[in-house]
Amino acid sequence: MFFGLHGFDQKIIQEYGSLVGLFLGHIPSLLIADPEIIKKITTKDFSKAPNRLNVVRNNNELQHGLTVVEDDHWRFMRNTLLPTFSSGKMRKMDPILRKKYQLLLESLKKEADEGKPIEFKGMFGRYTMDVIAALGFGMDIDSQTNPDDTFVKYAKELFDNKFSFRLFLIFVLPILDRILNYFELSPLNNRRVMNFFKSAVHQAVKMRDEGDQNRTDLLQLMLNAHKDTEKNEIESEQNYEEDPNKWKKRGLTEDEVTGNAILFILAGFETTASSMTFMAYCLATNPDCQEKLIDEIDSILGKEFPTYDNVQKIDYMDWVFNETLRLYPPATRTNRVSKVEMDIGGYKIPKGVDLSFPIYALQRDPKYWPEPEKFDPERFSPENKAGRHPYAFLPFGHGPRNCIGQRLAAMEAKCAIVYILQHYRFVTCSETEIPLQLSISSGLLKPTNGIKLKLEERTKDSYIKTYDFSLLDTLYYNSPRFLNKNGTQRKSLSVSYTMDVLGVVEINGWILLIVFALVAVYIHVKWKFGLWRRLGVPGPEYFPYIGTLRELKNIGVHGFDMKQIQNYGKVVGTFLGGVPSLLIADPDIIKNISVKDFSYAPNRANSFQVRSELRHGLTVVEDDHWRFMRNTLLPTFSSGKMRKMDPLLRKKYQLLLDGLKKETDEGKTIEFKEMFGRYTMDVIASLGFGMDIDSQTNPDNTFVKYAKELFAPRINFIIFLIVIFPPLDRILNYFNVSPTNNRRVMTFFKSAVHQAIEMRDEGDKNRKDLLQMMLNAHKDTEKNEIEDVHSYEGDPNKWKKRGLTEDEVTGNAILFLLAGFDTTASTMTFLVYCLATNPDCQEKLINEIDSTLGNDLPTYDNVQKLEYMDWVFNETLRLYPPAVRTNRKSKVPMEIGGYKIPKDMDLSFAIFAVQRDPEYWPDPEKFDPERFSPENKAGRHPYAFLPFGHGPRNCIGQRLAAMEAKCAIVYILQHYRFVTCSETEV
């Protein structure tokens, strides 16, 4: 063991490969360093090796802990304890956590003010002990202000198992531990220490029994699941291997409550403290990474206190945390034990064999981690993660038996480090050991000689930066053009210049630098806007960035599309500001992209990042995230659900007619967009969310006003700049002034949805509307867990297990409120315009309504019998589609219309232009519902009609939109006709 366990694993894998046969004392052990095999064992074949191997039988209270119990016993206990670590519980812990990391900073400040090197392991150990005791058990042990706290001393003693001759003998001959334990001499079961913790837990339970029993921490959850159960009864229930529900009936025993309480106190102390210590060391020894992290913290949080939610916005913090865990995983190995014979890497492995995964060695394997000894947080950027096997990173394990407390560990570590970095930097000192010597103690990776660093106050920030101007020296100062007055050549400046923020370099040097910059910008722009020419795609010439926008302002997107297609054909290379966009008006190509090649371009393209709550909406999310969400929401729009909505819909279209009658009786000209907007808002609010906002009888309803404001962003100079330079939106959004994320409006809708959810929680939870469907699928889920699931690209079922997050419920609720309001109202308005300006068509429709429905009220079913109504509805959508374009984004290089199109390209389908193309629609400007007769439809390409899109990513709400529009129009036509007037624009 000269190398230590971590060094031994690296050496043995290097010599013998990724599968190595070993022995742990007398126990055969297979060392596995192949991520694909690890994935198979921990996930796919989990049932064949579900348990951990314990070389020596656990005789202390921890034998009842989650890490030791097996099979159904483990499943029952895992399911019982899991809700404690949900994101909802984490958020509730923020106030207590804040108190603890503030105490930590006060202690660190005292040391820093005295200029002392700080032993961070001790400081962080006291902090993590305080956190787990307070958040998990409501115990305020206050070890930070009292470093000699008994609780911490005992915890350290429990973790400080020095390797001795007795331990060696037990390892070789495990039965010896049973004998030593009988005489209370076992080094693995220190009775003095265990009795202390057992007493501490019992005292906490007693205090809980006498006080607040409504807490939602770990201890209370275990107590709620506790029932007095006799041992033989438990043993008999373990026979129900295929029915874990049998376990639930018995509850947790007192030993299980005690064992797991001790386990979580200890597991949450040492591992997190070590990770924080190593992270401080990595930042101190990599100041460039520390500066990048500080900049991100300042730009995202400013002076805000770190919380569970806001630290997750700091992407670079997550990368730093993960890179620290890669280099210094607390556990250098994890394992499973084969329950049956298994085929592993082509070898038949018998049951009962230890299957060990060398975490440390795998996470420093150059095959997966180039320059593995280097600290490089960029390894965890989305791009780099996507190209690496996810099971090459194992600090928390993988699969069903991964670390249950990883969310809490990440929160307490990140919040504390962020809070420290809002005030200080970590810096090395003469006592900092570089490089670190590592050793294993109690199974955990530790620095052999500790880690000592200093803190540097951030108020002493230095703004000195160094720039290398050697190239400018060569090109500029050695040029014969620039000579002194006496004809001698000027002396060259030194190779580099150090200057502060207000520093100045000789003016001529700056002129040359500006010239270089302008040349570089010119080359970049020329190359960028020459894309379509290089690919051979026809299209207009553009003045960089603003050419398209100028024309769009004059003739609109729909007019622009028709003009380009007429001039250049059905595949046109265009630009949206600075973003290249391929405009497509060929139905066959649209069909291929939307259906046949859907996997090549499954997502929508966004010109700039959506930053409002709508970023969690169905129209924005991507890949498996979208598939999961689509499948979750789809049942809400079934025909069965539509039929159940008839009574509510009837109430709304009757109110609409009452409003129209009042206007008609007074002889007024009616602005139908307003009337229909109030109707569709009432419908979607009522049918989708059980909210009776009643905007039809109250036209000035606040809800509708905010909806209109959200849908009416005026094209102004700021929007223009954002389209040209999307990163500007990020800056404006930081100051809450982005026109693409109107915080006042979004906050109103967010509040409205939360209010609806709150009312639902207190009332009817059995409704079958959209909101209840989302609430039923809602589970508290943490960001990293979601990212983990993202890697299962071929198995969307993995998403189902995590449920909808609160952000997803809110974002989609707002999306459906808004998407169901304006689009349907616009379509209804265009439809009545078409009927009024084509009275022969209107008469034909009225005759069909009278003969088919008579005086029956319109319903989901009977309006579908009105064939001509459907033709009128579709012909209106053909002439006036609510969206004049839809798009996809190429995920891989694609061949489109004979052109090689690179990945990440906007592929825009020109809906308006296609639906007025005379090739598919003779006399396209004419309103002619007969186009949609079965005979005419049969002779036309189906993808020449695109109002709801096509393929898997078509409009999910089209059935509801058609029902609410048709029922209302039919009901009006049972009483009135639409007619033009002097104010009608024709």
Side-chain angles (χ1 to χ4, degrees):
M1 298 294 288
F2 176 79
F3 298 91
L5 185 62
H6 57 295
F8 172 81
D9 286 351
Q10 282 188 296
K11 179 175 184 289
I12 215 77
I13 289 163
Q14 191 175 355
E15 288 183 12
Y16 298 101
S18 58
L19 284 176
V20 187
L22 303 169
F23 281 89
L24 297 173
H26 69 291
I27 297 172
S29 173
L30 184 66
L31 194 66
I32 303 167
D34 184 320
E36 195 57 41
I37 296 176
I38 293 171
K39 177 181 178 180
K40 189 178 179 187
I41 294 170
T42 55
T43 307
K44 185 180 177 184
D45 292 341
F46 176 73
S47 62
K48 296 178 181 177
N51 304 317
R52 299 189 188 279
L53 175 78
N54 292 290
V55 178
V56 181
R57 181 183 172 186
N58 219 309
N59 293 308
N60 59 27
E61 280 69 15
L62 294 174
Q63 69 189 286
H64 307 288
L66 184 62
T67 55
V68 177
V69 294
E70 299 182 346
D71 301 320
D72 287 337
H73 195 173
W74 167 78
R75 290 185 190 92
F76 154 67
M77 203 174 284
R78 174 92 177 189
N79 289 335
T80 301
L81 300 174
L82 198 58
T84 308
F85 298 96
S86 68
S87 56
K89 299 294 191 303
M90 297 297 108
R91 291 185 184 97
K92 290 178 181 177
M93 296 176 182
D94 278 332
I96 299 174
L97 184 63
R98 182 180 304 167
K99 179 183 174 185
K100 299 304 176 186
Y101 64 61
Q102 285 179 313
L103 276 176
L104 170 63
L105 191 70
E106 287 174 17
S107 302
L108 290 171
K109 185 179 187 302
K110 196 177 296 181
E111 300 284 311
D113 289 348
E114 294 175 9
K116 296 178 182 177
I118 301 169
E119 175 46 76
F120 275 94
K121 183 67 192 306
M123 301 293 282
F124 288 151
R126 293 192 286 273
Y127 162 71
T128 56
M129 179 56 73
D130 280 7
V131 168
I132 195 67
L135 301 190
F137 302 93
M139 297 166 61
D140 198 359
I141 60 174
D142 202 16
S143 65
Q144 295 193 71
T145 53
N146 177 17
D148 299 321
D149 187 274
T150 311
F151 205 99
V152 180
K153 284 186 176 180
Y154 274 103
K156 286 180 179 176
E157 189 173 342
L158 191 67
F159 268 101
D160 192 22
N161 281 328
K162 295 183 175 67
F163 193 76
S164 62
F165 184 66
R166 268 192 300 171
L167 274 177
F168 174 75
L169 287 177
I170 290 170
F171 192 70
V172 174
L173 191 64
I175 197 169
L176 177 64
D177 186 59
R178 203 175 301 173
I179 301 167
L180 292 172
N181 190 64
Y182 179 79
F183 294 102
E184 295 194 354
L185 296 172
S186 169
L188 300 176
N189 184 13
N190 186 325
R191 289 318 308 162
R192 183 175 56 83
V193 174
M194 291 309 301
N195 286 339
F196 169 80
F197 281 110
K198 188 173 180 178
S199 170
V201 171
H202 283 198
Q203 185 180 347
V205 171
K206 185 180 178 184
M207 290 167 63
R208 190 66 54 88
D209 287 341
E210 297 168 357
D212 180 12
Q213 296 184 4
N214 295 317
R215 294 177 66 99
T216 53
D217 56 20
L218 176 64
L219 182 62
Q220 193 61 48
L221 193 63
M222 291 194 290
L223 292 176
N224 293 345
H226 168 53
K227 294 176 187 171
D228 291 322
T229 310
E230 205 265 328
K231 184 180 178 184
N232 292 334
E233 183 186 336
I234 295 173
E235 289 174 350
S236 67
E237 287 183 7
Q238 260 192 307
N239 295 328
Y240 297 107
E241 289 206 2
E242 298 304 319
D243 188 4
N245 287 320
K246 299 287 184 181
W247 283 89
K248 294 180 183 177
K249 295 176 182 176
R250 73 158 180 86
L252 289 177
T253 66
E254 186 176 340
D255 286 339
E256 287 169 343
V257 172
T258 304
N260 280 290
I262 295 173
L263 171 67
F264 281 108
I265 287 176
L266 302 181
F269 155 60
E270 181 82 2
T271 54
T272 310
S274 291
S275 296
M276 292 174 67
T277 309
F278 283 124
M279 186 155 39
Y281 172 82
C282 290
L283 291 173
T285 53
N286 294 274
D288 54 331
C289 296
Q290 183 168 205
E291 290 309 306
K292 188 170 181 179
L293 178 55
I294 286 172
D295 289 344
E296 189 170 359
I297 291 169
D298 290 350
S299 66
I300 293 173
L301 263 63
K303 295 182 179 179
E304 286 181 31
F305 284 108
T307 65
Y308 171 75
D309 284 318
N310 65 22
V311 294
Q312 295 189 64
K313 298 175 184 175
I314 308 173
D315 288 335
Y316 197 71
M317 177 77 245
D318 194 55
W319 303 357
V320 167
F321 180 65
N322 285 335
E323 177 67 351
T324 302
L325 289 173
R326 180 192 71 81
L327 280 170
Y328 306 107
T332 56
R333 275 190 190 181
T334 188
N335 69 18
R336 300 289 185 270
V337 59
S338 55
K339 196 174 180 182
V340 295
E341 184 181 80
M342 300 177 69
D343 188 321
I344 298 176
Y347 303 103
K348 296 290 184 185
I349 306 300
K351 73 175 185 177
V353 171
D354 167 70
L355 310 175
S356 279
F357 312 142
I359 299 173
Y360 182 94
L362 189 57
Q363 292 182 179
R364 295 201 181 209
D365 188 334
K367 189 190 301 182
Y368 310 106
W369 312 93
E371 292 187 84
E373 304 301 315
K374 179 184 177 184
F375 178 77
D376 180 11
E378 301 287 337
R379 301 181 200 270
F380 290 89
S381 68
E383 308 79 50
N384 289 330
K385 277 179 69 176
R388 184 174 60 241
H389 200 297
Y391 282 70
F393 182 61
L394 297 164
F396 294 114
H398 273 293
R401 201 147 186 163
N402 65 355
C403 173
I404 196 174
Q406 58 184 288
R407 188 177 292 165
L408 176 58
M411 177 180 76
E412 63 178 305
K414 290 178 183 178
C415 284
I417 296 294
V418 166
Y419 189 61
I420 294 168
L421 290 175
Q422 287 178 312
H423 301 82
Y424 292 93
R425 285 178 175 81
F426 299 105
V427 293
T428 57
C429 61
S430 58
E431 296 180 49
T432 306
E433 185 180 71
I434 304 175
L436 281 178
Q437 298 299 311
L438 302 172
S439 60
I440 304 293
S441 175
S442 300
L444 298 179
L445 187 71
K446 297 179 182 177
T448 305
N449 305 311
I451 292 178
K452 287 191 176 181
L453 302 167
K454 283 189 174 184
L455 287 176
E456 177 187 88
E457 235 184 310
R458 283 191 51 201
T459 51
K460 298 174 183 176
D461 276 357
S462 169
Y463 294 101
I464 304 298
K465 296 181 186 280
T466 302
Y467 299 89
D468 188 352
F469 282 96
S470 55
L471 178 61
L472 290 182
D473 282 349
T474 305
L475 294 175
Y476 174 72
Y477 289 100
N478 291 331
S479 169
R481 179 179 173 188
F482 297 98
L483 303 175
N484 290 320
K485 289 182 179 179
N486 60 7
T488 59
Q489 197 171 31
R490 292 184 184 179
K491 290 182 180 179
S492 173
L493 297 183
S494 59
V495 171
S496 65
Y497 303 87
T498 300
M499 59 185 180
D500 61 25
V501 175
L502 300 177
V504 181
V505 178
E506 187 176 348
I507 187 67
N508 290 334
W510 279 116
I511 291 172
L512 191 58
L513 180 63
I514 291 168
V515 170
F516 270 25
L518 290 174
V519 169
V521 168
Y522 175 78
I523 293 170
H524 167 74
V525 169
K526 198 75 175 167
W527 175 262
K528 182 183 181 77
F529 286 90
L531 171 70
W532 298 122
R533 195 181 307 109
R534 292 196 303 277
L535 296 176
V537 180
E541 289 293 326
Y542 290 100
F543 187 81
Y545 295 102
I546 65 172
T548 306
L549 300 177
R550 188 167 50 193
E551 198 160 8
L552 289 176
K553 184 181 177 184
N554 294 333
I555 60 176
V557 176
H558 58 296
F560 173 83
D561 287 354
M562 292 188 75
K563 178 183 174 186
Q564 302 311 316
I565 290 161
Q566 188 177 352
N567 290 342
Y568 300 101
K570 294 185 178 176
V571 176
V572 186
T574 69
F575 284 88
L576 298 171
V579 180
S581 173
L582 188 68
L583 190 65
I584 302 167
D586 184 317
D588 279 316
I589 295 176
I590 293 172
K591 179 181 179 180
N592 280 344
I593 295 170
S594 303
V595 181
K596 184 182 175 185
D597 295 336
F598 178 73
S599 61
Y600 297 164
N603 305 314
R604 299 193 186 278
N606 291 293
S607 299
F608 41 82
Q609 188 178 348
V610 180
R611 301 182 193 284
S612 69
E613 281 68 15
L614 294 173
R615 69 185 183 276
H616 307 289
L618 184 62
T619 54
V620 177
V621 292
E622 300 185 344
D623 301 320
D624 286 337
H625 195 173
W626 166 79
R627 291 185 190 94
F628 153 68
M629 203 175 284
R630 173 91 178 191
N631 290 336
T632 301
L633 300 174
L634 198 58
T636 310
F637 298 96
S638 67
S639 55
K641 297 292 190 306
M642 297 298 107
R643 290 186 184 95
K644 290 179 180 178
M645 296 177 182
D646 277 332
L648 289 172
L649 184 63
R650 183 180 305 159
K651 179 183 174 185
K652 300 304 176 186
Y653 66 59
Q654 285 176 323
L655 275 176
L656 170 62
L657 192 68
D658 291 343
L660 291 171
K661 185 178 185 302
K662 192 180 295 181
E663 299 284 308
T664 302
D665 290 347
E666 294 175 9
K668 292 180 180 176
T669 299
I670 302 170
E671 173 46 75
F672 274 96
K673 183 67 194 304
E674 291 286 331
M675 300 294 285
F676 288 150
R678 295 195 286 270
Y679 162 71
T680 56
M681 180 55 75
D682 279 6
V683 168
I684 194 67
S686 177
L687 302 191
F689 301 92
M691 297 165 60
D692 198 359
I693 61 173
D694 200 20
S695 65
Q696 295 194 71
T697 54
N698 175 18
D700 298 322
N701 185 282
T702 310
F703 206 99
V704 179
K705 285 186 176 180
Y706 274 103
K708 286 179 183 175
E709 186 174 343
L710 194 66
F711 267 101
R714 293 176 180 82
I715 298 296
N716 55 29
F717 185 65
I718 296 177
I719 292 274
F720 174 75
L721 288 178
I722 289 172
V723 173
I724 291 176
F725 185 61
L728 175 64
D729 188 53
R730 193 179 308 168
I731 301 166
L732 295 174
N733 190 64
Y734 177 77
F735 294 102
N736 281 345
V737 293
S738 169
T740 66
N741 182 13
N742 186 326
R743 289 317 309 159
R744 184 174 58 82
V745 175
M746 290 310 301
T747 301
F748 169 80
F749 280 110
K750 188 175 180 179
S751 171
V753 171
H754 283 200
Q755 187 179 348
I757 292 172
E758 195 174 309
M759 290 167 64
R760 189 65 53 89
D761 287 341
E762 296 167 359
D764 181 11
K765 295 185 179 182
N766 296 317
R767 293 178 65 99
K768 302 296 182 186
D769 57 19
L770 176 64
L771 181 62
Q772 195 60 48
M773 181 76 75
M774 290 194 289
L775 292 177
N776 292 344
H778 168 52
K779 292 176 187 172
D780 290 320
T781 309
E782 200 264 336
K783 180 182 175 186
N784 292 334
E785 183 181 335
I786 295 175
E787 288 175 351
D788 245 6
V789 181
H790 242 319
S791 63
Y792 298 106
E793 290 212 354
D795 188 3
N797 286 321
K798 299 287 183 180
W799 283 88
K800 292 179 183 175
K801 295 179 181 176
R802 75 158 179 85
L804 289 178
T805 65
E806 187 176 340
D807 286 338
E808 288 169 343
V809 172
T810 304
N812 280 289
I814 295 173
L815 171 68
F816 281 108
L817 278 172
L818 302 181
F821 153 62
D822 198 62
T823 54
T824 311
S826 292
T827 300
M828 292 174 67
T829 308
F830 284 124
L831 194 150
V832 301
Y833 171 83
C834 291
L835 291 176
T837 52
N838 295 274
D840 54 330
C841 297
Q842 183 168 204
E843 289 308 311
K844 189 171 180 177
L845 178 56
I846 288 173
N847 290 335
E848 183 186 49
I849 292 169
D850 290 347
S851 63
T852 306
L853 266 60
N855 293 323
D856 290 346
L857 291 173
T859 65
Y860 171 75
D861 284 318
N862 66 22
V863 294
Q864 295 192 63
K865 298 175 184 176
L866 303 172
E867 192 176 41
Y868 195 71
M869 176 76 243
D870 193 55
W871 302 357
V872 167
F873 181 67
N874 285 335
E875 177 66 351
T876 302
L877 288 171
R878 180 191 71 81
L879 278 170
Y880 306 107
V884 295
R885 275 189 188 180
T886 188
N887 69 18
R888 298 290 185 272
K889 180 172 68 175
S890 57
K891 199 174 180 181
V892 296
M894 299 176 69
E895 182 171 308
I896 298 175
Y899 306 107
K900 299 286 187 184
I901 304 301
K903 70 174 185 175
D904 296 326
M905 193 64 60
D906 170 74
L907 310 174
S908 282
F909 309 149
I911 298 174
F912 186 93
V914 171
Q915 293 183 178
R916 295 204 182 202
D917 188 332
E919 183 179 335
Y920 312 107
W921 311 93
D923 200 2
E925 303 300 317
K926 180 185 176 184
F927 177 77
D928 180 10
E930 300 287 337
R931 300 180 198 272
F932 289 90
S933 68
E935 309 79 51
N936 289 330
K937 279 177 69 176
R940 185 174 57 243
H941 199 299
Y943 282 72
F945 183 60
L946 299 162
F948 294 115
H950 276 290
R953 200 145 188 165
N954 65 354
C955 172
I956 195 173
Q958 58 184 287
R959 187 175 287 162
L960 176 58
M963 178 180 75
E964 63 177 306
K966 289 178 182 179
C967 284
I969 298 296
V970 167
Y971 189 60
I972 295 169
L973 289 174
Q974 286 178 314
H975 300 82
Y976 293 94
R977 284 179 176 82
F978 301 106
V979 293
T980 58
C981 63
S982 58
E983 296 177 49
T984 307
E985 184 180 71
V986 180

